[in-house]
Amino acid sequence: MLKQCLKLFKVQLLHMFQINEIIHSKDKRKKRNAILLAFTMILLGLCLMLYVGIMAASLSYIDMTSLIPGYMFATTSVLTMVFTIFKASSVLFGSKDYDLLTAMPIKPWVIVVSRFLTMYVSNLVLTLITMIPSALVYGIFAKPGFGFYLMTTLGLFFIPFIPMTLATAVGAVVTGISSRMKHRTL
């Protein structure tokens, strides 16, 4: 079962980041668009890292260095929650491939776990982009002990869980309500 879950996870990641289109597409326009999208996403990630680093340095310069970890935790949680609310319905309840997958000899819980894992990895990337620069700036200015780096490293992997759970619940409620409405896309 774990092998099936990991295979589904790998396929979903390849589809999410359009890696198969970049590698295997014969259409040059599709390939170029996928590469440009990847480049844009990398550029936006670098800009976000720079912004977070400058924000943390600004807090340090006005003698509020102790606020950096909490501020960045809150910022990361809000960003994760907002992006997950928009992604939750399409990732979890994407009916396009769900019918195909349920027809295969795959248990439904394997499909759900692989989709949660996909959402977790995308949220983990966002967490790493926002938390690493602020942790580095905090380390430079506050000079904390080894415990800070150990707890930060461990905490990075758990930060996305609470906002992701709340956002998934909100996304499920919104999807449930909108499925009964006449104008679903609204």
Side-chain angles (χ1 to χ4, degrees):
M1 295 304 153
L2 185 62
K3 284 184 181 181
Q4 287 179 340
C5 184
L6 291 176
K7 283 182 183 179
L8 278 176
F9 168 67
K10 178 184 171 187
V11 167
Q12 288 172 353
L13 278 183
L14 290 174
H15 177 70
M16 181 186 294
F17 295 115
Q18 297 181 348
I19 294 172
N20 279 338
E21 281 190 26
I22 293 172
I23 295 172
H24 301 293
S25 179
K26 302 288 185 208
D27 187 6
K28 291 187 184 218
R29 199 174 103 192
K30 267 188 172 180
K31 197 175 211 177
R32 186 185 73 232
N33 287 344
I35 290 171
L36 283 173
L37 181 66
F39 177 74
T40 304
M41 296 299 283
I42 290 169
L43 187 63
L44 285 173
L46 291 173
C47 287
L48 183 60
M49 288 178 82
L50 182 66
Y51 175 76
V52 168
I54 290 172
M55 183 65 70
S58 299
L59 286 172
S60 294
Y61 285 124
I62 59 173
D63 291 331
M64 293 186 168
T65 306
S66 62
L67 296 178
I68 292 174
Y71 178 71
M72 287 304 140
F73 174 77
T75 303
T76 302
S77 296
V78 168
L79 281 173
T80 301
M81 190 161 171
V82 168
F83 284 122
T84 304
I85 286 173
F86 292 124
K87 284 189 301 190
S89 62
S90 65
V91 172
L92 294 178
F93 308 114
S95 60
K96 293 178 186 173
D97 61 343
Y98 187 75
D99 294 334
L100 177 71
L101 290 174
T102 54
M104 294 181 175
I106 299 172
K107 294 196 180 327
W109 69 268
V110 172
I111 298 169
V112 172
V113 168
S114 70
R115 290 182 180 204
F116 269 108
L117 202 57
T118 303
M119 215 165 38
Y120 171 74
V121 166
S122 66
N123 288 333
L124 184 63
V125 169
L126 182 64
T127 300
L128 293 174
I129 286 173
T130 56
M131 290 298 288
I132 288 177
S134 62
L136 291 174
V137 170
Y138 182 77
I140 291 169
F141 284 97
K143 297 181 182 28
F146 177 74
F148 168 76
Y149 296 107
L150 180 67
M151 294 305 288
T152 300
T153 304
L154 292 175
L156 285 174
F157 297 101
F158 294 105
I159 288 174
F161 281 124
I162 294 173
M164 192 173 93
T165 304
L166 292 173
T168 302
V170 170
V173 168
V174 168
T175 302
I177 291 171
S178 68
S179 68
R180 291 171 176 72
M181 294 177 66
K182 185 177 179 182
H183 304 288
R184 293 180 184 167
T185 57
L186 180 63

